Amino acid sequence: MDLPGVNLLRTIAVLAVLYSHISFYLIDDLGTGWWVIDVVYRVLVEGAGLNQHLSFLGVAMFMTLTGLLITRSAIRDEPRRFLVARSARLIPAFWVAILVAILLVRLGVNGMFSGQTGVSDVEAVLSFFLGGFFLKPEVAVLGVTWTLAVQITFYLYCVAARPLLRTRPVVVPVLGAVVCMLVLLYNLYLPEPYTVPFLSKVAATMPTVFLGQIVYLGWARATSRRWLIVALLAQVQVIHLATDYHVYWAGSRYLWTIVVVTACVVLVSRIDGRFARSRVLHWTATRSYAIYLVHTLVLYRVYENTVAHLGRTGAVLAFLVVCAAVSELLYRGVEVPAARWISARWLPPRPSPQVTAEAEPMEKPRA
C-alpha cells in the first residue's frame, strides 16, 4: 500500500506537538503570548473547534499513523521479528534521551516534568522502562515519553491478538475498545489505593491507534463495512467515556480533535506529488521521533536564554534551530546505527515469498 502523504502527516504532527508545548509554555507558564498563538487560536481553536494549545492534535496524529502503518507488519511478520524491529527503532534513542534528561535534572539545568524537584536512583532506573509513570504520584523525567507506553501496549496487543488479526481482524479494535472501557471504569470505581491512574491515560489514547488500524482494514478490504462501523462506534464510546469522566487533561474537544485527525489521515496519506516527496518533508518525517524525544529538553532553556536578545519570535526560531541540530545528532548518531546493529544481529533473514506462501498461507479474513 503506497502512502506518499505520510511524510506530510508526520510533519504536521511534529509541528502540532512543537506548537502545543511552545503555547503551553508561553501562555500557562510564563503568562505571556506570541502573535503566532493569537493566529492559531483564532483559526484553529475558535474557528475549527480544536483543543486549546492544539493539545493532543499531534499525539493523535502520530498514534493514528501507528495504527495505520504497523497493522500490516503485525499481520505479516512473525512475533519475534515484529517486536525486535519495533524495539530496534524505539528503544536506543529513548534510552539516550532519558539518560540526558536525568543528567540535566541532576545538573540543575532542567526541571522535572512532574511535581518532584529531583529524581532518585530508583526513579531514574524506572524511567528507562517507563516505570515512573506508574508511580503515585507520577515521576516524569521526560514527560513526552508517556506515548511510548501507548505504542508498546499496541505492539504487545497485536502480537497477542495475531491469530485474530489474520482471521477476523476487525475483532481486534472492537475487543481493544472493550478493554479500554474496562480500564477506565476500573480506575473510576475502585478505591484510590488500588487504582493506576496512568493506565487511564493509556486507555483514553488507544482509540486513536485503533482508528488507524480500522482505516488500514478498510483500505485492505479485510472486513465488511458493517463491521468497520461497529469498530468505529466502539472507539467513539471509549472517547465519550474518557471525556465524560474528565480522563483527558486539556479540555473537552477530544472527540472532535480525533475526528479531524482521522479525516486528515484518510485524505492526506494518499496525496502524491513533488511537495509530498520534498526533501524538507522527508527530513522532518524521518527525524520526527528524534524531534519528539528532544524538543522539551531544549525548549525552555534555549527560549529563556535568547528571548531578551532576539525577542519572542527570534527565541522560538533559535529553539527550532537547536532542536533540529540535536535531533539530527540523535538520529544519525543513535537511532539509525543502533537500529541497524540490532536488526543485523537479532532479526532472522526473511524467507522468500514463495517459501512463505507454501509454508504459512495467509488465512482469508472472515469478518
Side-chain angles (χ1 to χ4, degrees):
M1 184 182 297
D2 187 28
L3 300 174
V6 164
N7 282 351
L8 176 55
L9 288 168
R10 284 184 174 141
T11 300
I12 294 171
V14 165
L15 293 176
V17 168
L18 293 178
Y19 170 84
S20 180
H21 287 118
I22 291 169
S23 181
F24 269 115
Y25 178 53
L26 296 184
I27 300 296
D28 293 356
D29 293 346
L30 300 184
T32 60
W34 185 34
W35 65 270
V36 173
I37 295 175
D38 296 336
V39 172
V40 171
Y41 183 83
R42 285 196 296 268
V43 175
L44 296 179
V45 178
E46 284 190 330
L50 300 178
N51 279 331
Q52 172 74 313
H53 305 301
L54 301 188
S55 178
F56 201 64
L57 181 68
V59 169
M61 192 164 291
F62 277 127
M63 294 296 105
T64 305
L65 287 172
T66 294
L68 173 64
L69 300 174
I70 295 301
T71 297
R72 183 169 182 263
S73 297
I75 293 172
R76 297 184 61 183
D77 293 345
E78 54 90 19
R80 178 170 178 262
R81 170 176 287 278
F82 175 76
L83 291 176
V84 170
R86 305 282 78 74
S87 300
R89 168 78 171 81
L90 296 180
I91 291 177
F94 162 65
W95 278 351
V96 169
I98 288 292
L99 177 61
V100 171
I102 292 170
L103 291 175
L104 290 176
V105 168
R106 293 196 163 175
L107 291 172
V109 177
N110 279 357
M112 294 286 289
F113 290 85
S114 52
Q116 299 77 17
T117 56
V119 56
S120 69
D121 291 341
V122 172
E123 292 165 347
V125 172
L126 287 174
S127 297
F128 285 97
F129 304 94
L130 301 173
F133 293 112
F134 294 90
L135 299 176
K136 293 193 294 185
E138 268 187 25
V139 177
V141 71
L142 183 55
V144 297
T145 55
W146 71 268
T147 59
L148 290 180
V150 180
Q151 288 183 277
I152 292 169
T153 299
F154 179 68
Y155 299 157
L156 295 176
Y157 178 58
C158 283
V159 168
R162 187 169 181 258
L164 283 175
L165 271 178
R166 293 169 63 86
T167 55
R168 297 182 180 274
V170 76
V171 174
V172 174
V174 173
L175 181 60
V178 173
V179 173
C180 288
M181 283 189 279
L182 291 175
V183 169
L184 293 174
L185 293 172
Y186 173 90
N187 278 334
L188 285 169
Y189 291 109
L190 259 70
E192 191 275 337
Y194 303 102
T195 60
V196 186
F198 181 65
L199 289 180
S200 289
K201 194 171 186 178
V202 174
T205 307
M206 285 296 292
T208 58
V209 192
F210 288 132
L211 286 169
Q213 186 172 70
I214 292 165
V215 171
Y216 171 80
L217 296 178
W219 283 348
R221 297 181 179 179
T223 190
S224 66
R225 291 183 180 179
R226 178 184 62 186
W227 279 105
L228 286 176
I229 293 173
V230 170
L232 287 170
L233 292 177
Q235 311 313 315
V236 170
Q237 290 304 309
V238 178
I239 298 166
H240 271 306
L241 182 63
T243 303
D244 290 343
Y245 287 95
H246 307 289
V247 177
Y248 292 120
W249 50 95
S252 59
R253 299 177 177 179
Y254 280 82
L255 178 58
W256 175 242
T257 296
I258 292 168
V259 168
V260 170
V261 166
T262 306
C264 285
V265 169
V266 171
L267 296 173
V268 175
S269 58
R270 292 187 171 184
I271 290 178
D272 202 352
R274 184 175 298 178
F275 177 70
R277 298 180 184 270
S278 69
R279 291 184 178 181
V280 173
L281 294 186
H282 176 76
W283 185 92
T284 307
T286 53
R287 277 74 173 172
S288 60
Y289 180 52
I291 294 170
Y292 192 80
L293 287 175
V294 307
H295 73 280
T296 54
L297 293 179
V298 301
L299 167 59
Y300 312 111
R301 300 294 81 81
V302 171
Y303 184 89
E304 72 177 16
N305 285 292
T306 58
V307 66
H309 307 286
L310 303 176
R312 292 172 190 169
T313 300
V316 171
L317 291 176
F319 153 66
L320 294 176
V321 170
V322 173
C323 182
V326 176
S327 301
E328 182 72 9
L329 182 62
L330 184 64
Y331 176 77
R332 288 185 176 272
V334 178
E335 186 178 343
V336 171
R340 288 173 177 169
W341 187 87
I342 293 171
S343 298
R345 285 158 179 78
W346 294 94
L347 283 182
R350 288 184 181 275
S352 67
Q354 183 176 358
V355 171
T356 302
E358 292 175 354
E360 188 179 2
M362 174 74 173
E363 296 183 55
K364 184 178 179 180
R366 294 191 294 272

